[in-house]
Amino acid sequence: MKNCVEVDQPEQTRQHYFDFLRVFAAFAVMILHVSAENWYTADVCSLEWGVMNFYDSLVRWAVPVFVMISGALFLSRDITLKKIVSKYIFRIFTAFLFWSFIYAFAYYAKHRNVMGAIAFFVKGSYHLWFLFMITGLYLIIPFVKKIAESASLTKYFLLLAFISAFLIPEFVQIISLFSEKYGLFAENVFNKFSLNFVTGFTSYFLLGYLLSKVYISRNAERLIYTAGIIGFILTILMSLCASRFKGEPFMGFYDYYNVNVLCEGIAVFVFFKAKFNRSVKIIRLLSQYSFGAYLVHVAVIMLLLRLGLNSLTFNPIISIPVISVIVFVISFSISAVLNNIPVLKRYIV
């Protein structure tokens, strides 16, 4: 998302696959949010819920890929903390104020609750959590960059992160499905190590930088794609089985800190790097509008809901992709208009 996860790329060294990734990741987020509209209320044993789970599982890579793009761009260049704060974080701050006000006003118009609207404004709409998270990552760039400068430290950090932030927590989660007692015991034992330094989205931030720099052989590519496909399948099946086992929607295996989602993200990133590193004018243009499209797309989904169009309006096998395309077109169109107004382009999109 331009202006949020992108540092300006000099034309002679521009990596065009980032533009493709940005556009497709933005569309993936829209699919995710459209498929999630009735995910919490539908019967987990129904075909409709199974279809929603399929689409939701298929696009869990979107946010990790956005973070990986950001890490690849920011960690590969020398940017002062002053510039990070004054240019990038300030723009995120002004964008949040504007869009959070828009969504809070919509909340007030629907509920007529002043205090609720104020609380909604402070917290932000559900998709604006990304702005808080990416701001936190920007603030620690000077530290992460020191790690990125050493190949051995980078690999060591990512190894620790894989074990402590992905592998063990998912293993604990699986145990908890069958026994909360033993799951809690395992979690308490693991937490004694306090490996907080390598948890969170920092791992994706650093991983994006590493993947953008290293040469990946054809054999390694195939292994990564195989792991990615397995990750997709496991996300679908584990979420389905866990939800039916519990008798209610279970989103634990959707979490961005799951091995299956990690494999999805790596596979998508590597695929676009290998196959789409060329300049395409329309993709480059859409890439510039992706941040604004992300910010406005939830408002578009809300409007369509008011008009009676949602994932269960007709067969979700068709409705989810169709509505997602509609949301994509409208959101990017609005963003294009806003990006052509200089003041708005500078501060809110």
Side-chain angles (χ1 to χ4, degrees):
M1 290 177 283
K2 183 172 169 52
N3 301 335
C4 183
V5 298
E6 178 186 10
V7 60
D8 301 327
Q9 300 179 70
E11 186 59 39
Q12 63 272 23
T13 59
R14 188 178 186 87
Q15 298 296 319
H16 299 289
Y17 69 93
F18 290 140
D19 293 324
F20 282 92
L21 277 171
R22 234 178 254 115
V23 174
F24 280 87
F27 182 52
V29 168
M30 295 171 192
I31 294 174
L32 189 156
H33 290 154
V34 170
S35 63
E37 288 170 354
N38 296 290
W39 185 88
Y40 295 96
T41 56
D43 181 358
V44 295
C45 293
S46 68
L47 174 63
E48 290 79 9
W49 191 90
V51 172
M52 288 181 249
N53 173 60
F54 171 80
Y55 282 116
D56 206 335
S57 300
L58 205 60
V59 293
R60 299 312 296 187
W61 54 268
V63 169
V65 163
F66 272 134
V67 177
M68 290 161 73
I69 296 170
S70 185
L73 291 168
F74 274 95
L75 296 178
S76 62
R77 298 186 63 194
D78 291 323
I79 306 177
T80 65
L81 182 59
K82 180 180 179 181
K83 185 175 182 180
I84 291 170
V85 174
S86 63
K87 181 177 181 180
Y88 297 102
I89 293 180
F90 180 72
R91 183 170 289 171
I92 292 172
F93 177 70
T94 55
F96 174 81
L97 290 180
F98 178 86
W99 290 103
S100 194
F101 175 80
I102 295 295
Y103 288 106
F105 182 79
Y107 177 92
Y108 174 76
K110 181 178 181 180
H111 300 283
R112 299 294 174 179
N113 183 332
V114 175
M115 295 307 297
I118 292 173
F120 198 90
F121 171 75
V122 174
K123 290 166 56 180
S125 174
Y126 64 87
H127 68 305
L128 297 183
W129 73 271
F130 184 89
L131 302 187
F132 289 91
M133 179 272 291
I134 204 69
T135 297
L137 286 176
Y138 286 0
L139 289 171
I140 63 171
I141 284 175
F143 304 108
V144 182
K145 191 166 178 58
K146 293 297 182 182
I147 297 173
E149 289 171 356
S150 167
S152 59
L153 277 181
T154 298
K155 293 174 183 177
Y156 179 59
F157 183 99
L158 291 174
L159 176 62
L160 281 180
F162 176 73
I163 295 171
S164 62
F166 292 88
L167 190 62
I168 294 177
E170 187 158 13
F171 178 69
V172 170
Q173 185 168 240
I174 292 171
I175 294 176
S176 298
L177 272 175
F178 299 97
S179 171
E180 290 188 13
K181 176 183 176 182
Y182 289 115
L184 183 61
F185 174 78
E187 183 178 2
N188 288 335
V189 170
F190 169 67
N191 285 341
K192 291 180 184 295
F193 289 95
S194 297
L195 287 171
N196 299 326
F197 179 68
V198 295
T199 58
F201 277 94
T202 310
S203 53
Y204 281 114
F205 201 67
L206 199 54
L207 180 61
Y209 170 77
L210 180 65
L211 290 176
S212 71
K213 297 298 181 184
V214 299
Y215 167 75
I216 300 174
S217 68
R218 285 293 181 87
N219 288 335
E221 251 186 83
R222 294 190 188 99
L223 287 174
I224 289 171
Y225 297 154
T226 301
I229 292 170
I230 293 172
F232 284 121
I233 294 171
L234 286 178
T235 306
I236 295 166
L237 293 181
M238 290 193 299
S239 298
L240 179 66
C241 293
S243 296
R244 292 191 174 182
F245 178 75
K246 292 177 69 68
E248 60 183 11
F250 178 78
M251 63 182 305
F253 296 113
Y254 288 166
D255 196 282
Y256 300 125
Y257 307 119
N258 283 328
V259 176
N260 45 293
V261 175
L262 172 67
C263 290
E264 290 183 25
I266 293 174
V268 170
F269 190 96
V270 170
F271 177 74
F272 276 85
K273 179 186 177 184
K275 310 299 182 184
F276 291 92
N277 197 17
R278 61 184 183 275
S279 179
V280 177
K281 188 174 181 180
I282 184 62
I283 294 296
R284 184 164 175 177
L285 191 63
L286 290 174
S287 176
Q288 295 174 13
Y289 301 153
S290 58
F291 183 40
Y294 176 86
L295 293 170
V296 76
H297 85 276
V298 169
V300 176
I301 292 174
M302 291 166 59
L303 176 61
L304 294 179
L305 283 171
R306 292 286 297 272
L307 296 175
L309 191 59
N310 63 72
S311 58
L312 292 180
T313 302
F314 48 99
N315 191 319
I317 295 174
I318 306 299
S319 68
I320 291 174
V322 168
I323 294 172
S324 298
V325 170
I326 293 172
V327 172
F328 180 91
V329 172
I330 296 175
S331 299
F332 273 85
S333 297
I334 293 172
S335 181
V337 172
L338 296 177
N339 269 278
N340 281 283
I341 302 173
V343 175
L344 299 185
K345 177 181 180 180
R346 182 172 183 179
Y347 293 109
I348 71 166
V349 291

